[in-house]
Amino acid sequence: MSLHPVDALIRRLPKTELHLHIEGTLEPELMFALAKRNGVALPYADVDALRAAYDFSDLQSFLDLYYAGADVLRTRQDFYDLTWAYLERAQADGIVHTEIFFDPQTHTGRGIPFDVAFGGIRQALDDARSRLGISSRLILSFLRHLSEEDGLATLEVALPHLAGIDGFGLDSSERGHPPSKFQRLFARCRSLGLPCVAHAGEEGPPAYVWEALDLLQVVRIDHGVRSLEDLGLVQRLAEARVPLTVCPLSNVRLKVYPQLAMHPLRQMLQAGLLATVNSDDPAYFGGYLQENLLACRAALDLSADEVVRLVRNGFEAAWLPAAEQARWLADVERIHADWQAGSAG
Ligand code: HPA
Ligand code: ZN
């Protein structure tokens, strides 16, 4: 089968990833290897049985498995190996800049000290800069199903490591845990001078996106697909150029949309939203970043211009110095022009 011409372009372009939970890159093979290394019993006979359990009905059914899976992560080396495995895949996908979430409360809550998780992840990201040529940012994400007090206590523990943290996020069970629950925590985060983001409008209503913007003063919305239900919100997001880190394969796996062909990615672009494509929890959702782009290209028949728009949006939305951003955008333009010249001939 010959490669679709737009797929060839997708493969050639430099890309960003702005919505990636490092715990969500734990592949079944590594989960079993770490379980063995750490003497942890898994309730699955083998990798195939585990993969067969990845049949989710909604966000919560995924989170239950995702938190259980993270229990095999015990040592600094485990977190390093997890992060390095992701970074090697990222490099193979053409990712040149990645901004990843980690959930410290998932680990401190089961007795793993903050600096064990943070230290391993941070070291791998630092090594990736020199060894893989990938730049990165690390976002400490709070679990919204826990209390604001738990989040504030976690922030206190993180303070000595602030030099290695680039921003703060909010994830986990959305419904019933609105952004308004975390106003004091995010005010404290902002007072530290770091940018904040929040998952909103994945399963939750557009009102949660408004709250994330107005009450938490986030600079990006993670997911945000349900914003389309509120025209006033779409206008606000478009005018303020607030990036939305959309995760198409995640949305299908968690039944936000019944199939990829019904995903509103194109409508988001047409509405003037700064939508980007990302993988979320690729080990659980069946595809890393490039697979998300290729699957959307096929299911939605994305044009080369739409693909380039999405990739450009990623660089625009990234926390990169202006000069680096401009350099990558120029690379995107050049590769797009070369591709056009090639596909015209
Ligand atoms: N939504 C909320 N919490 C999460 C997700 C998600 O997509 N992935 C990991 N934690
Ligand atoms: Zn997410």
Side-chain angles (χ1 to χ4, degrees):
M1 220 178 79
S2 70
L3 188 64
H4 190 284
V6 178
D7 290 352
L9 176 63
I10 290 171
R11 290 178 191 279
R12 268 150 72 177
L13 288 168
K15 292 168 277 283
T16 60
E17 173 130 83
L18 305 177
H19 183 158
L20 183 282
H21 303 264
I22 197 62
E23 294 89 348
T25 68
L26 179 55
E27 289 287 340
E29 290 77 10
L30 184 58
M31 198 189 293
F32 269 87
L34 294 179
K36 190 168 173 211
R37 183 151 108 188
N38 293 322
V40 178
L42 289 175
Y44 302 95
D46 54 28
V47 162
D48 291 336
L50 175 57
R51 265 214 180 83
Y54 294 176
D55 179 21
F56 310 116
S57 52
D58 58 5
L59 174 59
Q60 192 60 50
S61 65
F62 153 70
L63 289 170
D64 292 344
L65 247 161
Y66 163 82
Y67 294 130
D71 188 40
V72 303
L73 297 161
R74 301 285 172 98
T75 68
R76 190 180 154 112
Q77 186 68 44
D78 297 342
F79 286 93
Y80 184 96
D81 292 348
L82 171 73
T83 308
W84 192 256
Y86 161 67
L87 289 162
E88 287 190 321
R89 286 174 180 268
Q91 188 190 41
D93 263 5
I95 293 173
V96 296
H97 177 77
T98 185
E99 304 190 355
I100 75 171
F101 296 114
F102 79 118
D103 290 342
Q105 289 155 299
T106 298
H107 314 301
T108 54
R110 55 192 178 83
I112 308 298
F114 180 93
D115 63 304
V116 168
F118 168 77
I121 296 166
R122 185 69 259 168
Q123 185 66 51
L125 294 176
D126 292 345
D127 289 352
R129 175 100 223 190
S130 49
R131 290 172 54 191
L132 302 176
I134 297 177
S135 59
S136 64
R137 300 286 178 263
L138 182 56
I139 304 173
L140 187 167
S141 196
F142 297 101
L143 299 182
R144 70 202 306 159
H145 67 275
L146 300 179
S147 67
E148 183 174 52
E149 283 65 34
D150 204 293
L152 284 162
T154 300
L155 181 57
E156 287 306 309
V157 173
L159 286 181
H161 308 282
L162 215 56
I165 294 168
D166 303 295
F168 296 97
L170 184 66
D171 62 10
S172 191
S173 323
E174 188 179 7
R175 285 201 202 105
H177 301 286
S180 53
K181 183 178 158 186
F182 299 97
Q183 284 183 74
R184 280 189 308 145
L185 174 60
F186 274 66
R188 175 106 173 84
C189 290
R190 291 197 312 278
S191 77
L192 298 169
L194 292 177
C196 296
V197 299
H199 282 55
E202 177 186 17
E203 282 190 343
Y208 285 18
V209 180
W210 283 110
E211 283 191 12
L213 294 171
D214 292 334
L215 304 182
L216 305 188
Q217 297 178 34
V218 300
V219 301
R220 268 192 332 230
I221 296 287
D222 295 310
H223 293 294
V225 287
R226 288 196 59 196
S227 302
L228 288 172
E229 296 167 28
D230 180 338
L231 284 182
L233 177 57
V234 169
Q235 198 173 6
R236 160 87 182 267
L237 292 165
E239 280 174 3
R241 307 250 343 120
V242 178
L244 303 181
T245 62
V246 180
C247 305
L249 288 177
S250 163
N251 291 155
V252 173
R253 284 300 188 102
L254 300 188
K255 308 283 195 290
V256 177
Y257 302 102
Q259 54 188 44
L260 202 52
M262 293 168 81
H263 195 283
L265 185 62
R266 171 175 287 126
Q267 288 89 307
M268 297 179 87
L269 292 178
Q270 287 173 344
L273 294 171
L274 199 111
T276 66
V277 169
N278 310 273
S279 72
D280 207 5
D281 301 282
Y284 292 88
F285 299 151
Y288 285 76
L289 178 70
Q290 188 155 266
E291 191 55 39
N292 269 268
L293 285 165
L294 294 170
C296 286
R297 203 286 307 154
L300 303 171
D301 195 24
L302 294 181
S303 67
D305 284 353
E306 287 170 320
V307 164
V308 169
R309 170 53 52 201
L310 290 164
V311 169
R312 286 182 56 91
N313 285 353
F315 286 104
E316 189 177 329
W319 297 340
L320 275 169
E324 271 183 61
Q325 198 172 52
R327 194 163 48 77
W328 287 123
L329 287 170
D331 270 8
V332 169
E333 289 319 299
R334 181 179 49 75
I335 290 165
H336 185 198
D338 285 354
W339 174 87
Q340 281 174 319
S343 64

